[in-house]
Amino acid sequence: IKASAGTLLIGEARVLAFPVRSAKGMFAWITCPLVLRRYARDAGVELEFDETLINEQSCLATSGVVIDAQKVVLEEYVFDCKGDAGSLAESLKSIMPSNKLWQSLDKHFVVLSDSLFSHFVEQSCEVVTRIRVDDETGTVAKGALFNQEQVPSETMFYCSVSESTRAQNLEPLSLLKEKISGQILQVGGDETIGLGFCDVEVK
């Protein structure tokens, strides 16, 4: 049986953890209850945390980003830490066992409210001013100054991957795991300026 297009069904990549600046620990990965519930459903896992402790002024966090045992400062916002997110971080670390930075999640993890997580994801992307070079002159093309919004490095995405009925006896998921799990892939455009490089783990 020969391989054919459509044997793998790859879903939309969704943000699981988003990096923002932290007054302690340099940065923190943030997430929210809605994102965690959606990931648990999609991955078929159980994630336990007390959602009642999270609101617009309070959060759950790991000790590496907590100041004086009670405050978390992300960008210009200050939150009260109402509980430890260490056990939740430990559960999520198994997603990327080969990524040493992700293994420090238990030192850089915060669970915010759904609305605040949405705010940070919308407002904290990197905005870079770029130019376009004229191929004939080798100089900047006239009127070619533009801004580009970029997802920050270390953002954690996940997506679902499944086999279609066309797969039959090909076992494409097993092949995918063998070939790219633990590897670095480049996704999307702007490869020449170093964008889109991702650590990939297939579960």
Side-chain angles (χ1 to χ4, degrees):
I1 300 174
K2 294 184 179 180
S4 62
T7 55
L8 275 177
L9 306 176
I10 301 177
E12 177 186 12
R14 296 171 171 174
V15 177
L16 176 61
F18 190 83
V20 297
R21 291 182 299 176
S22 171
K24 183 181 178 183
M26 191 166 67
F27 82 102
W29 276 293
I30 61 170
T31 191
C32 69
L34 177 61
V35 166
L36 291 171
R37 289 196 302 269
R38 187 173 61 182
Y39 171 75
R41 178 201 64 193
D42 294 345
V45 298
E46 294 289 336
L47 296 176
E48 296 183 2
F49 59 97
D50 189 350
E51 189 173 340
T52 64
L53 299 175
I54 303 167
N55 56 45
E56 303 303 301
Q57 289 80 40
S58 63
C59 65
L60 305 177
T62 55
S63 59
V65 294
V66 179
I67 300 173
D68 296 330
Q70 59 181 347
K71 298 293 183 182
V72 174
V73 181
L74 304 175
E75 301 288 351
E76 69 271 30
Y77 297 90
V78 181
F79 303 96
D80 295 319
C81 180
K82 295 296 185 180
D84 181 34
S87 60
L88 184 57
E90 287 294 333
S91 299
L92 295 174
K93 282 168 62 174
S94 62
I95 297 172
M96 288 288 290
S98 61
N99 187 306
K100 292 183 178 179
L101 183 58
W102 182 251
Q103 295 306 301
S104 68
L105 182 66
D106 55 347
K107 299 180 178 66
H108 303 273
F109 189 57
V110 180
V111 184
L112 299 174
S113 69
D114 296 342
S115 59
L116 280 168
F117 175 78
S118 176
H119 168 78
F120 276 114
V121 171
E122 289 178 4
Q123 302 298 323
S124 297
C125 285
E126 300 171 2
V127 179
V128 178
T129 300
R130 294 186 55 196
I131 59 172
R132 181 169 59 83
V133 176
D134 189 307
D135 291 334
E136 294 184 1
T137 64
T139 59
V140 179
K142 186 176 181 180
L145 182 69
F146 64 97
N147 292 327
Q148 178 171 298
E149 192 173 34
Q150 301 171 176
V151 176
S153 297
E154 313 311 332
T155 301
M156 169 63 80
F157 291 92
Y158 78 93
C159 70
S160 61
V161 181
S162 58
E163 298 174 352
S164 74
T165 54
R166 300 181 185 182
Q168 298 183 21
N169 298 322
L170 293 174
E171 297 186 347
L173 279 177
S174 298
L175 183 61
L176 185 71
K177 186 172 184 178
E178 176 186 337
K179 294 295 184 180
I180 73 168
S181 198
Q183 302 297 313
I184 295 177
L185 294 183
Q186 196 280 331
V187 180
D190 295 323
E191 178 182 8
T192 56
I193 59 172
L195 299 182
F197 288 91
C198 307
D199 285 327
V200 179
E201 192 76 33
V202 181
K203 296 292 184 180

